[in-house]
Amino acid sequence: MFKERWNQLKEYVYDSSISLKDRSFVVFSFVLIGELIFGAVPSGIIMKEPWSSTLYTMAGALFFGAYVVYSIRKKKIASAKIVISVILIFIFLPLMFFTNGGVYSGVPVSLLLGSLYINMIMEGKGQIIMNILYSIAMITCWILGYYNPDMITSYTRKGAFIDSLLGLLIVNAVIFILLSFHTKLYTKENERASEKTKELEEMNKAQNRFFSSMSHEIRTPINTVLGLNEIILRQEDATDEIRKDARNIQGAGKMLLALINDILDVSKIEAGKMDIVPVNYDVASLLSEIVNMIWLKAEEKGLKFNVDIDPNVPESLFGDEVRIKQILINLLNNAVKYTHEGSVSLYMECEYPDKDNVILKINVADTGMGIKAEALPHLFDTFKRVDEEKNRYIEGTGLGLSIVKQLVELMDGEITVNSVYSQGSTFTVALKQGISSDKRIGDLNISNAGGVNRGDKFEHMFKAPDARILIVDDNEMNLNVEEKLLDGTQMKVDLALSGQDALNLTLHNRYDVVFMDHLMPQMDGIECFEQIRNQKGGLNQNIPIIVLTANAGGENIELYNNTGFDGYLVKPVSGRQLEDMLIAHLPKEKVILNTSGQDNGVQLSTASRYAKKKPVVIATSTMSDLPASIIKELQIDIIPYTVITNEGVFYDNIDIDSEELVRYMSDKSKMVDSEPPTE
């Protein structure tokens, strides 16, 4: 029975789910009870105290013991601390003072033990209050003892020495037990903390593996779906209905990929595993890729897409190209998604704070539905979609803007938004980027390359009948898709299902380019790359090797750059991306460019409309006497005044002109109210 109770007590004391103060209360209470029982009896016999004094001490110890057990069982420890502290301060300790020799005994040392007990079990305001009450009670005892010595049971000189020695030894033993307990307790807590830290580290590693695996496993089949769908769109004999279905499949596949990427990115950001990986990148290539992607979407909705780029932006910058693309695509996609008529505009310029860096300023503006003022503070919240009722038919998770804000902050940048409800929105991003080239981008001409999706006859960008390439991938469907996407280029395309197959082929055949998958069984793409580079008797030690992988992420791109790959493509990959990469890396003498199809698309000049933005805002349209041409040339922002009348709410110079405004201002019977513009 005793052993069982003892084990229960130990389990309670070392239970980390219980607060340290509560466990200290239980331990200290039982130690104090033991001190009273084992100290009072020997002291009473040696000092020849009256049995009433010894019995009083024993009764107090038994009461405390029973009450502590009761409070543990009934889970009323908080109230027990207060009750016991009050009884100690006002009853038990004063009685001990007067019945055990007062100041001429071991009582003062024992009273310190009472103070220690109160401070160890109480916390916060309760601890302060109990200390004040303890001080008042002790001062009262000392004063009464001084002026009324007859109230104190006195000891002889010898008895006083013996009692004080016993008190000192008992208190020393109690302090030793308590410190030993706390040392052991803290040791166990540190061990638990270390175990938890290891568990969290393992969990983080598992989470990273999950993110990587999920991204890879999802991108691989989507690459097959979108690739085969692109092949269907290229077929000349495909009916309009087939083309329409194929375009729907293409849109749904890209939407699925975007949603999955958003969810994985949010998870990585919240887990603190999203890394910013700066690399040297070509600004023109970045803009061309993004503009072509958004241009098609804008055209499909009948929107005008304006692109104005400062010619003084450096040709090459140093930053996280992948994340900058993600920011731009999210903002532009949102602008197209929430704009039903009018235009979407991309504006980019830069400032030079020093010779090595630029502040890249990017504006994405639209003439869409705008954002209500009360919704702006929640615009970047995760999973939050503003104006839910009005936007319920618009696709999306509500993650895009949250990811954009967090990515901008990870790059130590700033993002702001200015919007007038029902009139449009402007998002402004400022990012500090390193300068990699002294050359300027100048006037960039971008071709709209959406011919296949518009139903035009498909033509490859080049032909290379004398070229030979190798594609290495452990997924046979992906190999077939990539081979078919290059089917009209007249190149000889060899396929390898493993790293070992690739080594056998590179030992006996000379290739112009190798596309290499990364995650493959037995031998991964990096190991295969290194073996090709060092292959004895191999014919391909110095050829371009491009990593073609579903293993997306900035940290992986850094890995591929450090490994020495000549380039990288992330699945799902389009035929256009494959051909762009091949044109860049195939020997020039083997490439015959298709000049007939190069200029079929509309050309967009990024500098023709560019004018450096001036920090000017006119708050009211009719208050401005600037010519419309100046306002347009300098891109001055005008926030319309809201006029509220009995006949409705109007925006100055948009729904109501200046003459009507003056008429309403003159006719006070019709004027209800007016509101200044808000940003």
Side-chain angles (χ1 to χ4, degrees):
M1 182 71 177
F2 175 77
K3 187 176 181 181
E4 184 181 345
R5 297 298 181 196
W6 174 251
N7 289 333
Q8 287 177 351
L9 180 62
K10 283 175 65 177
E11 285 179 12
Y12 182 91
V13 168
Y14 293 116
D15 186 350
S16 59
S17 64
I18 301 170
S19 72
L20 183 60
K21 284 285 185 181
D22 286 354
R23 288 181 282 166
S24 296
F25 163 72
V26 172
V27 172
F28 204 169
S29 295
F30 282 112
V31 171
L32 202 60
I33 291 164
E35 181 261 340
L36 291 172
I37 293 172
F38 295 108
V41 175
S43 178
I45 294 171
I46 294 169
M47 302 302 297
K48 297 180 182 179
E49 292 177 346
W51 279 105
S52 58
S53 179
T54 303
L55 289 172
Y56 157 73
T57 305
M58 293 292 291
L62 291 172
F63 166 76
F64 282 133
Y67 190 62
V68 169
V69 171
Y70 168 81
S71 65
I72 294 172
R73 287 183 176 177
K74 297 295 183 179
K75 296 181 179 179
K76 295 183 176 180
I77 290 179
S79 58
K81 289 178 185 178
I82 298 171
V83 171
I84 291 176
S85 296
V86 170
I87 292 173
L88 274 175
I89 292 170
F90 293 110
I91 300 174
F92 194 82
L93 295 179
L95 282 174
M96 181 184 290
F97 178 83
F98 288 109
T99 60
N100 288 276
V103 296
Y104 303 107
S105 65
V107 169
V109 179
S110 298
L111 293 178
L112 281 176
L113 201 58
S115 173
L116 179 63
Y117 177 77
I118 291 167
N119 281 286
M120 286 193 71
I121 67 171
M122 298 300 295
E123 55 188 334
K125 291 182 179 178
Q127 187 180 38
I128 296 170
I129 293 169
M130 290 302 171
N131 270 289
I132 293 170
L133 294 176
Y134 176 85
S135 299
I136 293 170
M138 292 304 101
I139 291 170
T140 304
C141 288
W142 254 254
I143 292 172
L144 288 174
Y146 181 79
Y147 288 106
N148 301 282
D150 294 339
M151 293 177 65
I152 300 173
T153 302
S154 60
Y155 288 157
T156 62
R157 185 170 179 273
K158 178 181 177 182
F161 268 79
I162 293 172
D163 190 64
S164 60
L165 179 60
L166 283 172
L168 186 62
L169 293 174
I170 290 169
V171 170
N172 181 66
V174 170
I175 291 173
F176 169 76
I177 293 169
L178 289 174
L179 289 178
S180 298
F181 158 72
H182 273 275
T183 301
K184 191 171 183 180
L185 197 61
Y186 282 123
T187 302
K188 283 188 173 291
E189 290 297 321
N190 286 333
E191 289 173 357
R192 286 195 187 98
S194 297
E195 289 173 4
K196 286 287 183 185
T197 302
K198 288 179 182 178
E199 287 177 10
L200 288 172
E201 288 174 355
E202 287 299 319
M203 191 184 300
N204 284 335
K205 288 178 182 177
Q207 198 172 38
N208 284 342
R209 288 193 294 269
F210 168 77
F211 291 143
S212 179
S213 175
M214 279 292 290
S215 177
H216 182 271
E217 295 304 317
I218 291 167
R219 285 174 175 273
T220 298
I222 290 180
N223 182 63
T224 302
V225 171
L226 293 181
L228 290 173
N229 193 70
E230 184 176 342
I231 292 164
I232 293 171
L233 283 167
R234 291 180 179 185
Q235 294 175 1
E236 293 182 30
D237 58 349
T239 65
D240 289 342
E241 186 176 356
I242 290 173
R243 288 180 181 276
K244 181 181 177 182
D245 291 342
R247 281 194 294 270
N248 288 337
I249 292 171
Q250 186 181 58
K254 289 182 177 178
M255 175 61 69
L256 175 63
L257 185 64
L259 294 178
I260 292 166
N261 284 341
D262 282 351
I263 292 168
L264 290 174
D265 282 343
V266 165
S267 300
K268 289 179 77 172
I269 290 169
E270 289 181 351
K273 297 301 177 183
M274 178 68 79
D275 296 321
I276 297 301
V277 183
V279 296
N280 292 320
Y281 65 92
D282 184 73
V283 178
S285 297
L286 179 144
L287 287 169
S288 295
E289 183 179 340
I290 291 169
V291 167
N292 267 304
M293 188 184 304
I294 303 301
W295 200 345
L296 178 62
K297 292 183 178 182
E299 277 188 345
E300 287 174 347
K301 289 191 71 173
L303 303 175
K304 187 178 180 182
F305 186 33
N306 303 315
V307 181
D308 303 313
I309 310 298
D310 183 353
N312 288 316
V313 172
E315 189 178 76
S316 180
L317 294 173
F318 183 72
D320 193 327
E321 179 186 14
V322 173
R323 299 307 169 196
I324 292 172
K325 281 182 184 177
Q326 193 172 358
I327 289 167
L328 284 171
I329 290 169
N330 265 317
L331 290 177
L332 287 165
N333 272 336
N334 257 20
V336 172
K337 190 189 301 182
Y338 291 100
T339 303
H340 300 302
E341 59 181 4
S343 65
V344 171
S345 301
L346 170 63
Y347 181 95
M348 181 185 289
E349 66 182 11
C350 64
E351 296 178 356
Y352 291 83
D354 55 68
K355 64 178 183 178
D356 298 320
N357 299 285
V358 297
I359 302 297
L360 198 62
K361 292 188 174 180
I362 302 163
N363 279 18
V364 174
D366 63 66
T367 58
M369 56 185 65
I371 305 159
K372 292 179 179 177
E374 62 268 23
L376 287 173
H378 309 290
L379 190 62
F380 297 106
D381 291 352
T382 304
F383 295 109
K384 179 75 174 179
R385 296 185 69 188
V386 299
D387 210 356
E388 196 73 61
E389 179 64 25
K390 190 172 182 179
N391 301 329
R392 65 187 184 278
Y393 298 116
I394 294 177
E395 296 172 320
T397 58
L399 292 174
L401 289 179
S402 171
I403 292 170
V404 165
K405 180 173 174 57
Q406 293 180 82
L407 288 176
V408 169
E409 289 175 348
L410 280 172
M411 290 189 278
D412 296 324
E414 292 182 357
I415 181 168
T416 56
V417 58
N418 186 17
S419 183
V420 176
Y421 190 58
S422 80
Q423 300 300 314
S425 305
T426 300
F427 288 84
T428 303
V429 175
L431 298 170
K432 189 174 184 179
Q433 302 284 284
I435 300 173
S436 302
S437 170
D438 292 331
K439 293 180 66 176
R440 300 294 184 256
I441 195 171
D443 188 2
L444 178 64
N445 287 305
I446 301 174
S447 298
N448 186 338
V452 171
N453 293 314
R454 294 194 303 269
D456 300 337
K457 180 182 176 182
F458 173 78
E459 291 186 18
H460 286 282
M461 297 171 64
F462 72 96
K463 292 181 180 178
D466 297 328
R468 187 174 187 178
I469 69 168
L470 173 65
I471 305 176
V472 188
D473 198 318
D474 64 310
N475 187 293
E476 190 170 359
M477 286 190 296
N478 278 338
L479 283 177
N480 292 333
V481 167
E482 288 144 12
E483 182 182 27
K484 286 181 179 180
L485 287 172
L486 299 172
D487 191 27
T489 61
Q490 299 181 5
M491 294 185 300
K492 181 172 177 53
V493 180
D494 289 346
L495 308 176
L497 271 168
S498 68
Q500 189 57 54
D501 289 347
L503 292 176
N504 293 335
L505 289 169
T506 55
L507 187 62
H508 300 100
N509 303 303
R510 188 182 298 279
Y511 295 102
D512 296 299
V513 171
V514 173
F515 286 112
M516 179 73 68
D517 189 18
H518 177 194
L519 298 181
M520 297 185 292
Q522 282 91 46
M523 182 188 298
D524 69 16
I526 292 175
E527 186 181 351
C528 186
F529 166 87
E530 291 171 346
Q531 291 205 32
I532 290 174
R533 287 283 186 249
N534 300 293
Q535 192 176 37
K536 291 183 179 180
L539 304 175
N540 302 276
Q541 293 176 342
N542 299 307
I543 63 157
I545 301 179
I546 316 297
V547 65
L548 176 57
T549 180
N551 201 29
E555 65 279 3
N556 294 313
I557 291 168
E558 184 179 31
L559 171 65
Y560 303 142
N561 288 332
N562 293 337
T563 299
F565 282 102
D566 297 276
Y568 64 88
L569 287 172
V570 177
K571 298 173 187 174
V573 65
S574 67
R576 174 66 182 264
Q577 289 174 310
L578 285 172
E579 292 188 28
D580 282 339
M581 189 63 74
L582 285 166
I583 290 171
H585 290 93
L586 283 172
K588 301 302 179 188
E589 65 275 10
K590 293 187 178 182
V591 177
I592 304 169
L593 292 174
N594 181 8
T595 54
S596 63
Q598 292 299 306
D599 299 318
N600 287 343
V602 180
Q603 290 285 325
L604 187 152
S605 173
T606 61
S608 60
R609 297 176 65 255
Y610 172 78
K612 190 171 182 65
K613 276 188 177 289
K614 305 295 189 293
V616 177
V617 174
I618 300 177
T620 317
S621 306
T622 53
M623 296 295 289
S624 168
D625 57 0
L626 290 175
S629 59
I630 296 294
I631 293 172
K632 183 177 181 181
E633 181 183 346
L634 297 180
Q635 300 183 45
I636 297 173
D637 292 325
I638 298 180
I639 303 175
Y641 205 93
T642 305
V643 180
I644 304 174
T645 75
N646 289 327
E647 299 177 16
V649 179
F650 303 96
Y651 288 108
D652 173 29
N653 217 32
I654 295 175
D655 303 314
I656 185 172
D657 61 24
S658 56
E659 291 182 4
E660 288 177 295
L661 180 61
V662 171
R663 180 169 59 84
Y664 271 110
M665 291 174 68
S666 302
D667 190 349
K668 294 182 180 180
S669 64
K670 290 188 176 181
M671 279 297 292
V672 176
D673 197 3
S674 64
E675 294 181 357
T678 57
E679 291 191 33

